[in-house]
Structures are given as structure tokens and as C-alpha cells.
């Protein structure tokens, strides 16, 4: 039986590309922009809408979902992950939660590859030294990526895209994922291994997993102890997958030769540990730029709109809502 959630009014809580609004309006859905509302105001507003769209700034908490109970049917995140949405509370209130998992894959992948390259060749500090009038050729000598081993932890869309690109640079790609099969990994040029096999082999480690209990502090003091001396780590996934204190300690001891971070446990960073990490001379830090390309912004905006239209069941063109996280909530509307 086809779905028809009868989404007529959508509240956009965070800035999204205009293509999202245009597509929704073309299909008879009214859109209202009210950005970065305080929690109390958001709780009042959601009562007036069938659906809401967020990016990273707005938190859809249990309190917000309770306030919207009886009216709010869908929360869509224009991006990957739903860390800022209380999915169990949404399911309890029959609110469908969806994201756009493929929309920023290429952008996040490309940033990962750039950061890996920046750890091999210290272009960031070298460029800064030039701006300060210095000519430090010997100080900023680097190493080749060719022949080095890259470990990719998490072999979803982004992890596989990273593997394909870095293999063309002549790196050996090893990887771990509890779901991906050996055949699927091999198709992307990845040798699938266990984590215990990976630690002593990797020259570089990049993480591409969601942040769940099993992946929190996946790279820790304990796991770094099993790694090569001078290993380098990259996180363009979620803050908390890599233990920042463990990396700081590793940088000081020489166990870790370099690190690149685009994501942090708290954003913007406030903790002394995160600030110390960002300020370390062997760390390249960026302010959560993984999806910050014009192409990704359009892609995620369009994908969230397409799924809203599909949930209304009124378009023969838009029929997929593959980004739905809590499929149990859909049963309420069938």
C-alpha cells in the first residue's frame, strides 16, 4: 500500500540550499524558514507543521518531539547522520526520521584525501611560514604516500570512495567493517582484515563510521599502543571516534607522527583537550568542512525534498525514501 503522509507544511530550522524549498513548493508543499530558534520557541513552532528540516545546528530533542506530538510527522536531516535528533523519542511519537546519507559522500571523501596528503607533505605550516616571510625548505620536508599502507575503518560510501582514490596514489588499502563482505571490499581495492590485524600494519588510519557505543574511542591509548611508531590518523567522520587525549599523548611521545581532525566531540570546541589538539604543530584542524562544498549542499537539499515528496506518495518521479532511519515509525502511516 503506497504511503501518503500528507505533508503540507514544512518548517526549515537551519539554512539549506534554495533548491530544497523550490522543489517542495513545486509539489504543493508550503515552506517556512525560521532559523536557529531557541528551544522554547521551537517547541511552540513545531505544533504548526507536518515536517521539519534541520542540518547540524538545531537539536530535535525529546522535548521538541513531545511538543510536536499529533502534528509533526517527519524530521529530515539535510546531511549524513542523525546525531542531533532523538530517534527513539521520534519513533515513540510516530515521527519518521530521515537523512541524506549519500549526499555529501564525495565531498567528505575528497576532504579526507586532502588531509591525508597534508599529513604526508606539511603544506599547511609551510604555507604559513611563507606568509611570515620565511623560506624553510628543509624544515618542511615530507614523505611519499606511494607504497604506504592506509587503513580505512568503516567501509560505507565514504570509506570506499577514499580507498578507490588513495589506491590510485599507490597506497596499499586495508580496511575493517563488520557488515561489508570481503568481496565488496575487494571490489573497491580493499583488503578486509580484523582490527587486530590492522593496527600493526597501518601507516595512516582514517575513520568512517557512525558514532555509536561500539565506535566511541575506537582509536584509543590501547589501540595506538598496537600501532606502528609514527602512525598518522584522520577523522572526518564524527567527534569521539578518536580519543583526542590519546592522540595528544601519542604526538608528545612520538607514537603518533601527525593527525588531522575535521570533527570534534563538541562544536565549536570548548574543552582544553580539544583546543590543545587543534593548536598542536603536528595537527591539521578544520572546522567541520566535510560537507561544505556547493555541490554537496545542493545534493543534500534536493535529496531531503525528494524524500518528503516520496512520503506523500503523489509523484511518479519521486518514490524513494531510502534515508529513513526508523522504519518502524512508517508503519503508523501504512
Amino acid at each position: 500500500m503506497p504511503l501518503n503522509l500528507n505533508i503540507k507544511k514544512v518548517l526549515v530550522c537551519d539554512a539549506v540550499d534554495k533548491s530544497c524549498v523550490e522543489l517542495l513548493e513545486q509539489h504543493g508543499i508550503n515552506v517556512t524558514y525560521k532559523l536557529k530558534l531557541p528551544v522554547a520557541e521551537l517547541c511552540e513552532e513545531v505544533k504548526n507543521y507536518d515536517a521539519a528540516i534541520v542540518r547540524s545546528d538545531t537539536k530535535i530533542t525529546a522535548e521538541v518531539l513531545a511538543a510536536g506530538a499529533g502534528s509533526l510527522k517527519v524530521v529530515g536531516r539535510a546531511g549524513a547522520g542523525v546525531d542531533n535528533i532523538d530517534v527513539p523519542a521520534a519513533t515513540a511519537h510516530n515521527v519518521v526520521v530521515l537523512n541524506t546519507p549519500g549526499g555529501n559522500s564525495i565531498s567528505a571523501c575528497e576532504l579526507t584525501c586532502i588531509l591525508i596528503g597534508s599529513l604526508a607533505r606539511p603544506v599547511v605550516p609551510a604555507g604559513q611560514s611563507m606568509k611570515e616571510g620565511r623560506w624553510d625548505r628543509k624544515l618542511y620536508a615530507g614523505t611519499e604516500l606511494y607504497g604506504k599502507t592506509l587503513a580505512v575503518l568503516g567501509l560505507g560510501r565514504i570509506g570506499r570512495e577514499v580507498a578507490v582514490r588513495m589506491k590510485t596514489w599507490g597506497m596499499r588499502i586495508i580496511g575493517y567493517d563488520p557488515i561489508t563482505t570481503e568481496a565488496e571490499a575487494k571490489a573497491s581495492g580493499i583488503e578486509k582484515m580484523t582490527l587486530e590485524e590492522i593496527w600493526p600494519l597501518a601507516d595512516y588510519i582514517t575513520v568512517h563510521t557512525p558514532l555509536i557505543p561500539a565506535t566511541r574511542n575506537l582509536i584509543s591509548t590501547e589501540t595506538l599502543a598496537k600501532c606502528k611508531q609514527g602512525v598518522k590518523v584522520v577523522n572526518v567522520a564524527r567527534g569521539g571516534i578518536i580519543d583526542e587525549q590519546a592522540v595528544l599523548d601519542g604526538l608528545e611521545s612520538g607514537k603518533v607522527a601527525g593527525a588531522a581532525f575535521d570533527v570534534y566531540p563538541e562544536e565549536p570546541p570548548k574543552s582544553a583537550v580539544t583546543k590543545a589538539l587543534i593548536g598542536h604543530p603536528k595537527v591539521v584542524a578544520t572546522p567541520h568542512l566535510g560537507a561544505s562544498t556547493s555541490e554537496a549542499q545542493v545534493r543534500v537539499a534536493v535529496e531531503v525534498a525528494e524524500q518528503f515528496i516520496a512520503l506523500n506518495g503523489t509523484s511518479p518521479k519521486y518514490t524513494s525514501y531510502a534515508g529513513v532511519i526508523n522504519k518502524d515509525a512508517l508503519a503508523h502511516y501504512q
Side-chain angles (χ1 to χ4, degrees):
M1 181 179 175
L3 286 173
N4 184 356
L5 270 66
N6 198 27
I7 300 168
K8 294 180 179 178
K9 296 175 67 180
V10 173
L11 175 65
V12 176
C13 303
D14 298 323
V16 294
D17 189 83
K18 63 181 181 179
S19 56
C20 173
V21 177
E22 290 170 354
L23 186 55
L24 289 171
E25 290 179 340
Q26 287 167 14
H27 287 78
I29 299 172
N30 294 317
V31 181
T32 301
Y33 259 96
K34 294 197 176 182
L35 306 184
K36 298 184 180 180
L37 291 172
V39 174
E41 290 182 36
L42 181 59
C43 287
E44 284 300 312
E45 283 295 330
V46 293
K47 299 173 184 178
N48 304 315
Y49 294 90
D50 304 304
I53 294 173
V54 299
R55 284 195 51 73
S56 298
D57 291 336
T58 299
K59 312 300 181 189
I60 303 297
T61 62
E63 180 185 1
V64 173
L65 290 158
S71 55
L72 195 65
K73 303 170 186 174
V74 187
V75 175
R77 176 156 192 270
V82 288
D83 300 2
N84 54 324
I85 303 169
D86 189 327
V87 178
T91 305
H93 289 292
N94 299 315
V95 175
V96 176
V97 177
L98 61 85
N99 66 354
T100 57
N104 60 13
S105 296
I106 297 299
S107 293
C109 155
E110 289 182 351
L111 179 61
T112 301
C113 296
I114 290 165
L115 291 176
I116 292 169
S118 73
L119 292 179
R121 306 296 295 271
V123 293
V124 175
Q128 184 60 37
S129 76
M130 289 285 286
K131 291 179 186 299
E132 294 169 0
R134 301 198 303 276
W135 184 262
D136 296 325
R137 289 185 69 193
K138 292 182 180 179
L139 184 60
Y140 296 115
T143 57
E144 292 183 352
L145 291 172
Y146 182 84
K148 303 301 189 299
T149 298
L150 170 66
V152 181
L153 307 186
L155 304 178
R157 292 177 182 86
I158 298 170
R160 292 197 304 268
E161 294 285 358
V162 170
V164 168
R165 283 157 180 76
M166 298 318 296
K167 193 172 181 66
T168 66
W169 283 61
M171 299 191 83
R172 177 192 181 193
I173 313 297
I174 59 178
Y176 169 77
D177 191 293
I179 298 171
T180 304
T181 66
E182 284 192 30
E184 289 169 335
K186 189 175 181 180
S188 296
I190 305 164
E191 300 172 53
K192 187 181 177 186
M193 298 182 175
T194 66
L195 287 172
E196 292 306 309
E197 290 171 323
I198 282 172
W199 302 128
L201 297 177
D203 297 300
Y204 293 79
I205 303 172
T206 179
V207 295
H208 299 284
T209 70
L211 179 63
I212 57 176
T215 63
R216 183 175 293 279
N217 295 335
L218 181 61
I219 296 180
S220 62
T221 300
E222 181 184 355
T223 54
L224 285 172
K226 302 173 184 178
C227 293
K228 284 184 177 182
Q229 190 75 6
V231 68
K232 297 176 181 179
V233 299
V234 178
N235 188 0
V236 184
R238 285 286 181 269
I241 298 171
I242 297 179
D243 182 339
E244 293 179 339
Q245 184 64 60
V247 172
L248 262 179
D249 294 342
L251 288 165
E252 291 304 312
S253 70
K255 185 68 175 184
V256 178
F261 284 82
D262 184 53
V263 289
Y264 310 91
E266 185 179 31
E267 297 180 2
K270 294 186 178 69
S271 80
V273 171
T274 305
K275 288 183 175 180
L277 186 77
I278 292 167
H280 197 283
K282 292 182 180 178
V283 171
V284 179
T286 51
H288 203 152
L289 300 179
S292 295
T293 64
S294 56
E295 294 88 350
Q297 294 308 303
V298 171
R299 205 175 289 126
V300 297
V302 169
E303 284 187 20
V304 77
E306 289 175 350
Q307 292 185 81
F308 276 23
I309 296 163
L311 287 170
N312 272 352
T314 56
S315 169
K317 182 177 180 181
Y318 303 116
T319 59
S320 173
Y321 36 87
V324 170
I325 301 295
N326 57 343
K327 291 184 169 57
D328 288 349
L330 283 175
H332 180 73
Y333 302 98
Q334 289 175 319

